[in-house]
Amino acid sequence: MATNQQRREAAKRKLERQLVRRAERAKRRKIIGVGVTVGVVVVVAGLIVVLSTQGGDNAAGEQPNESPSPAPSSEQIDIPTQRVQPAARPEPLPNPTNCEYPASGEPAKPVNPPNGQNVSSQGTVNVTLQSTVGDIPLTLDRALAPCTVNSFVSLAEQGFYTDTSCHRIGTTGLQMLQCGDPTGSGSGGPGYGFADETFQQLKYGRGILAMANSGPDTNGSQFFMVFGEAPLSPDYTVFGTISDEGLEVIDEVARGGHDGAFEPSPGGGKPNTEVKFTGVTVG
């Protein structure tokens, strides 16, 4: 029979074996845990790489694997072909009439104000804007706006518009080409202003020639040529029309698009196709 000493030694060896087995099991569990953790990290990293290469959420708002939508081509610009009815005053103006051209700001180019005495309010004046993209013939109507026609002819004859580029075009909404500012900024003028010559029946649309302004009675040298839609209130002096030949020239400029420099307000931008007046003939 085993003695007490022998029994104690056997119990001690058994306890030591149990401790060794426990240590080995703990070691195995630790190794497995590290392996699982590494595996999870690898999987997560892989998912991040996949998601980032799929486009997920980006500033352009594009769908995954899609290239940016192309800008509208020239064929996509909708330009009406129907001219609007030319404007006509419900009541004729006195003939002759007197016009006032008070000083207003600094002139963009040296120029003298026109003579405002005994200005005719009858008949028309033919003007051709010779430009780098082709001739744009106009017909100015004194019966619509005698003071405006008088100013425009005076500026043309003094060379104010020569070597001046059209600085703004709109191809949607208000479809027009705006010109007459030698600075190209949209704020230049002849150094004088004059009153509006408007009336409630005015309508704007393809073929209409009108004055640009910055508010009531702020006309100067800037004008715009409408080649399409023009949903405007009757606050812009209409003083003539654009020939079919001239409209074809402007249409091509419009199809070339613009740089968006005037977005969102007043809209449009500098024409991608430069329109520079090389000369202006009157008569």
Side-chain angles (χ1 to χ4, degrees):
M1 179 178 292
T3 64
N4 290 337
Q5 178 64 29
Q6 290 173 330
R7 286 194 293 271
R8 284 195 295 272
E9 289 178 355
K12 181 178 179 182
R13 287 193 296 271
K14 182 179 180 180
L15 178 61
E16 289 174 348
R17 288 195 298 271
Q18 289 176 343
L19 292 174
V20 169
R21 286 195 296 271
R22 289 176 183 174
E24 289 176 350
R25 286 197 297 269
K27 184 177 181 180
R28 285 196 298 270
R29 285 195 298 269
K30 183 176 181 181
I31 292 172
I32 293 172
V34 170
V36 171
T37 302
V38 171
V40 170
V41 170
V42 170
V43 170
V44 171
L47 288 173
I48 291 173
V49 171
V50 170
L51 290 174
S52 64
T53 58
Q54 288 297 311
D57 184 14
N58 55 61
E62 300 161 13
Q63 294 302 314
N65 300 322
E66 287 187 351
S67 59
S69 299
S73 67
S74 60
E75 291 77 10
Q76 292 175 302
I77 297 176
D78 185 16
I79 301 176
T81 57
Q82 186 68 36
R83 299 177 67 101
V84 299
Q85 187 71 22
R89 278 190 174 274
E91 297 290 338
L93 294 171
N95 182 51
T97 189
N98 292 328
C99 306
E100 295 183 358
Y101 302 101
S104 177
E106 293 295 323
K109 289 175 69 174
V111 70
N112 297 316
N115 180 6
Q117 299 299 309
N118 298 319
V119 175
S120 174
S121 59
Q122 293 181 350
T124 60
V125 180
N126 293 323
V127 171
T128 299
L129 303 175
Q130 299 158 339
S131 79
T132 51
V133 290
D135 288 353
I136 305 175
L138 310 173
T139 299
L140 313 188
D141 190 345
R142 293 192 182 103
L144 284 175
C147 296
T148 303
V149 172
N150 188 48
S151 173
F152 191 93
V153 169
S154 174
L155 291 174
E157 291 178 338
Q158 293 183 70
F160 185 86
Y161 293 126
T162 302
D163 295 326
T164 296
S165 297
C166 297
H167 62 278
R168 176 185 169 214
I169 193 168
T171 56
T172 59
L174 176 57
Q175 297 180 306
M176 59 84 220
L177 177 65
Q178 185 171 340
C179 316
D181 175 10
T183 71
S185 66
S187 60
Y192 65 83
F194 56 95
D196 298 329
E197 296 178 286
T198 56
F199 46 95
Q200 286 300 311
Q201 292 82 356
L202 281 176
K203 302 292 183 183
Y204 307 87
R206 184 171 175 82
I208 293 297
L209 174 67
M211 291 298 294
N213 63 51
S214 57
D217 301 328
T218 57
N219 303 285
S221 59
Q222 294 188 43
F223 61 96
F224 62 96
M225 297 177 282
V226 182
F227 62 88
E229 301 294 335
L232 297 171
S233 58
D235 299 320
Y236 303 88
T237 299
V238 173
F239 66 106
T241 56
I242 310 155
S243 71
D244 290 340
E245 176 189 349
L247 285 172
E248 290 176 1
V249 171
I250 300 172
D251 289 348
E252 287 303 308
V253 176
R255 292 189 181 99
H258 58 75
D259 65 2
F262 293 95
E263 299 289 359
S265 180
K270 182 179 178 181
N272 291 332
T273 303
E274 184 184 32
V275 183
K276 187 174 185 179
F277 298 136
T278 57
V280 182
T281 59
V282 178

